[in-house]
Amino acid sequence: DARVTQTPRHKVTEMGQEVTMRCQPILGHNTVFWYRQTMMQGLELLAYFRNRAPLDDSGMPKDRFSAEMPDATLATLKIQPSEPRDSAVYFCASGLNGDEQFFGPGTRLTVL
Amino acid sequence: KQEVTQIPAALSVPEGENLVLNCSFTDSAIYNLQWFRQDPGKGLTSLLLIQSSQREQTSGRLNASLDKSSGRSTLYIAASQPGDSATYLCAGLGPGGYNKLIFGAGTRLAVHP
């Protein structure tokens, strides 16, 4: 049963701390997306990778957020330093050649 | 800028009813359209994908259609069940091969026995 996995599922941290979220895309998928979901803004695209290359990170606050794909089986989203306004659910999704996107269960981040 | 509107925002119906959820885009140049289901505290589950060459897709009791000329999509749920209770989101993919999905705010559905 191929699924996108994300760790951790929940994270509570204090303002100023570094947060790293990890995603394992479905094996064989060549596109990876990071989304953020909040009650106020809904779902927003933060970053997009194709064949491990970053193609769009215009939705991401550049000064504190960074996204990477060290290899085809791992994508990371890092926030440093974290702020209370970063509290949200962060989803990773993967797909093949830009068709159907499959979402992971999300990481619920709370920054105190 | 592409914006997506979903109507209604919330819906509460008795079990067994046939339902229609609507989704519209400000820019009708939609390449792909995907409908998702989200249960409380969970991720998104892909329900149906309508690709650029298609006009509708069916899966079980679900049928989704896309009218590209008007930029509107409809999700039809037949014989609704309490297990269908969730938030339903539509998302459109712009042309040019860019895989950026633009999401609507969702329709929150409650089906009661």
Side-chain angles (χ1 to χ4, degrees):
Chain A
D1 185 22
R3 297 184 186 186
V4 176
T5 59
Q6 291 185 245
T7 57
R9 293 294 311 278
H10 302 272
K11 177 72 175 180
V12 180
T13 191
E14 292 188 347
M15 183 173 62
Q17 296 298 306
E18 178 178 300
V19 175
T20 298
M21 291 169 271
R22 293 176 175 80
C23 167
Q24 183 171 12
I26 293 173
L27 189 64
H29 282 185
N30 64 344
T31 56
V32 173
F33 308 83
W34 283 104
Y35 292 90
R36 176 171 62 184
Q37 186 177 39
T38 62
M39 289 293 293
M40 293 299 295
Q41 300 296 328
L43 270 159
E44 302 172 288
L45 179 69
L46 297 175
Y48 158 49
F49 292 79
R50 179 187 278 266
N51 298 323
R52 294 178 56 202
L55 292 192
D56 186 354
D57 60 2
S58 60
M60 208 162 62
K62 301 291 191 304
D63 57 338
R64 299 183 300 108
F65 284 58
S66 61
E68 296 180 345
M69 278 201 75
D71 60 60
T73 64
L74 177 64
T76 63
L77 179 67
K78 188 174 296 186
I79 308 174
Q80 168 62 20
S82 57
E83 298 180 1
R85 59 178 168 154
D86 300 329
S87 297
V89 181
Y90 291 81
F91 289 106
C92 174
S94 71
L96 184 60
N97 295 324
D99 285 337
E100 194 169 6
Q101 293 187 23
F102 296 88
F103 279 66
T107 293
R108 183 174 296 274
L109 174 65
T110 302
V111 184
L112 303 175
Chain B
K1 179 185 174 185
Q2 179 72 278
E3 293 184 356
V4 184
T5 301
Q6 290 192 243
I7 295 173
L11 189 59
S12 180
V13 298
E15 182 176 8
E17 283 203 4
N18 299 323
L19 308 173
V20 176
L21 308 183
N22 297 291
C23 173
S24 62
F25 297 81
T26 52
D27 183 346
S28 61
I30 298 299
Y31 186 70
N32 283 356
L33 185 130
Q34 199 166 350
W35 280 93
F36 295 88
R37 167 187 173 139
Q38 186 174 28
D39 294 281
K42 304 287 188 182
L44 279 68
T45 300
S46 179
L47 296 174
L48 293 164
L49 169 71
I50 304 177
Q51 294 183 306
S52 58
S53 59
Q54 301 170 328
R55 292 191 177 182
E56 68 175 316
Q57 281 288 332
T58 297
S59 176
R61 295 181 293 107
L62 305 179
N63 174 274
S65 63
L66 174 60
D67 181 349
K68 290 190 176 183
S69 64
S70 64
R72 295 177 185 272
S73 178
T74 298
L75 178 67
Y76 178 82
I77 304 176
S80 58
Q81 302 172 358
D84 295 330
S85 299
T87 297
Y88 290 80
L89 297 132
C90 70
L93 191 67
Y98 186 159
N99 309 125
K100 183 173 182 175
L101 278 176
I102 307 296
F103 281 86
T107 293
R108 192 169 62 254
L109 173 65
V111 181
H112 47 88

